[in-house]
């Protein structure tokens, strides 16, 4: 892991000096050089992820697809979401718009007596081994991700935003980042605060985010793939996660048009198994939301939008109770 870290740092330094730093000075933002260097790290991670998507997961989708591709415009919109998030554009917007708020929230949390608890210091000689520390932080963050995901399916206001993610009926490796920007902002704020409180180092945090995102891209792929009886209980597969996106079972618990669902885990199925939300059925159902394919009592179906801006606007309307 240390070797990989060194290689990444060298590549980040090269990319920064060759491309990013000259741009920063050219547009008169020399005072932001350190922040630009950190942003280069996220840009590099995104470029690596997109390369893996195209070179590895893409061929896997063509090898064993769940369904034929019939809606390429929907996929192109998902590609746009992926580029916005993986290449750091969303993080750049967050930096200028809400980073001061993050700092204030963290200050309030620490003022309330919540100091940083470094998990890697719990068992000196063991928990501070790099790969052990990484695994510990990964499990804790994944549990928080599970709780966030349950909340997105539990509260009407949050589902109003998160439902955009479930409205994709043409699932592919690009679908993971198809989210409302406000939903992403809430999610990222929680994860950043938790990471700060448990002592995740910046390099570890980048690695955890990158690893999680790549796994999620695989989970959303148009790929008929499970991990077997044992593997399905160790790591979330494309089949396991597709059940979560299935019409009805994935986002309903108490019957049609209710909230809830199954298979909320992000990386590990353990939390679904522990809290009774798991579904190991071997199925590959159509994906989407019931109210976009079945009419209500007034004969209406819900429109979640086709393009990026329409999807964002309709999400805000749902949040306000007008969509």
């Amino acid at each position: 892991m240390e070797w990989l870290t060194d290689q990444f740092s060298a590549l980040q330094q090269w990319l920064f000096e060759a491309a990013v730093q000259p741009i920063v000075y050219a547009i008169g933002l020399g005072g932001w050089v350190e922040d630009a260097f950190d942003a280069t790290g996220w840009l590099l991670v995104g470029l690596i992820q997109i390369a893996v998507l195209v070179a590895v997961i893409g061929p896997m989708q063509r090898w064993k697809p769940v369904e034929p591709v019939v809606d390429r415009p929907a996929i192109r919109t998902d590609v746009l979401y992926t580029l916005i998030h993986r290449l750091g554009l969303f993080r750049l917007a967050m930096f200028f718009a809400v980073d001061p708020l993050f700092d204030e929230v963290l200050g309030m949390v620490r003022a309330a007596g919540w100091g940083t608890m470094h998990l890697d210091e719990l068992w000196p000689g063991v928990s501070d081994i790099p790969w052990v520390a990484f695994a510990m932080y990964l499990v804790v963050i994944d549990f928080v991700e599970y709780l966030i995901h349950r909340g997105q399916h539990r509260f009407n206001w949050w589902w109003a935003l998160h439902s955009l993610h479930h409205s994709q009926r043409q699932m592919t490796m690009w679908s993971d980042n198809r989210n409302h920007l406000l939903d992403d902002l809430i999610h990222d704020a929680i994860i950043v605060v938790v990471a700060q409180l448990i002592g995740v180092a910046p390099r570890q945090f980048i690695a955890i985010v990158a690893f999680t995102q790549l796994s999620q891209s695989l989970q959303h792929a148009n790929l008929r793939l499970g991990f077997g009886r044992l593997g399905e209980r160790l790591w979330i597969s494309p089949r396991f996660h597709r059940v979560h996106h299935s019409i009805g079972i994935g986002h309903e618990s108490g019957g049609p048009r209710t909230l809830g669902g199954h298979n909320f885990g992000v990386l590990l199925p353990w939390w679904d198994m522990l809290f009774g939300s798991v579904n190991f059925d071997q199925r590959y159902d159509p994906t989407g939301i019931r109210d976009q394919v079945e009419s209500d009592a007034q004969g209406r179906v819900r429109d979640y939008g086709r393009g990026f801006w329409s999807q964002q606007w309709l999400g805000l309307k749902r949040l306000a109770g007008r969509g």
Side-chain angles (χ1 to χ4, degrees), residues 306-323:
R306 294 287 294 172
F308 176 85
W309 290 113
S310 67
Q311 290 168 357
Q312 296 298 308
W313 172 242
L314 289 171
L316 293 177
K317 290 182 66 176
R318 289 193 301 274
L319 182 61
R322 298 177 180 275

Side-chain angles (χ1 to χ4, degrees), residues 140-277:
V140 173
I141 293 295
D142 188 63
F143 177 58
V144 175
E145 292 273 14
Y146 172 82
L147 295 177
I148 292 173
H149 204 175
R150 286 297 297 262
Q152 290 169 324
H153 285 253
R154 170 65 177 82
F155 303 106
N156 283 301
W157 68 268
W158 212 346
W159 172 251
L161 297 173
H162 184 64
S163 56
L164 168 60
H165 180 70
H166 281 263
S167 66
Q168 177 56 285
R169 306 204 61 212
Q170 185 75 78
M171 291 269 289
T172 70
M173 63 185 184
W174 304 104
S175 300
D176 174 44
N177 289 120
R178 177 193 174 102
N179 299 306
H180 198 280
L181 297 181
L182 182 55
D183 191 16
D184 279 327
L185 177 60
I186 296 168
H187 167 275
D188 287 4
I190 296 172
I191 293 299
V192 167
V193 170
V194 170
Q196 289 273 348
L197 292 178
I198 63 176
V200 182
R203 291 289 183 194
Q204 289 172 321
F205 185 68
I206 292 176
I208 289 171
V209 171
F211 186 72
T212 300
Q213 288 178 335
L214 267 182
S215 183
Q216 288 181 294
S217 293
L218 176 63
Q219 294 164 17
H220 287 84
N222 179 23
L223 178 61
R224 188 175 293 271
L225 177 66
F227 293 161
R229 183 174 178 82
L230 176 60
E232 293 273 286
R233 287 158 175 78
L234 297 177
W235 203 262
I236 291 175
S237 70
R239 185 216 58 79
F240 183 95
H241 192 67
R242 189 178 177 92
V243 170
H244 176 68
H245 278 265
S246 299
I247 297 175
I249 187 173
H251 56 270
E252 297 174 347
S253 290
R257 300 178 185 272
T258 62
L259 295 183
H262 298 84
N263 297 5
F264 300 104
V266 173
L267 296 179
L268 307 168
W270 310 343
W271 320 120
D272 285 299
M273 296 164 65
L274 181 63
F275 294 105
S277 55

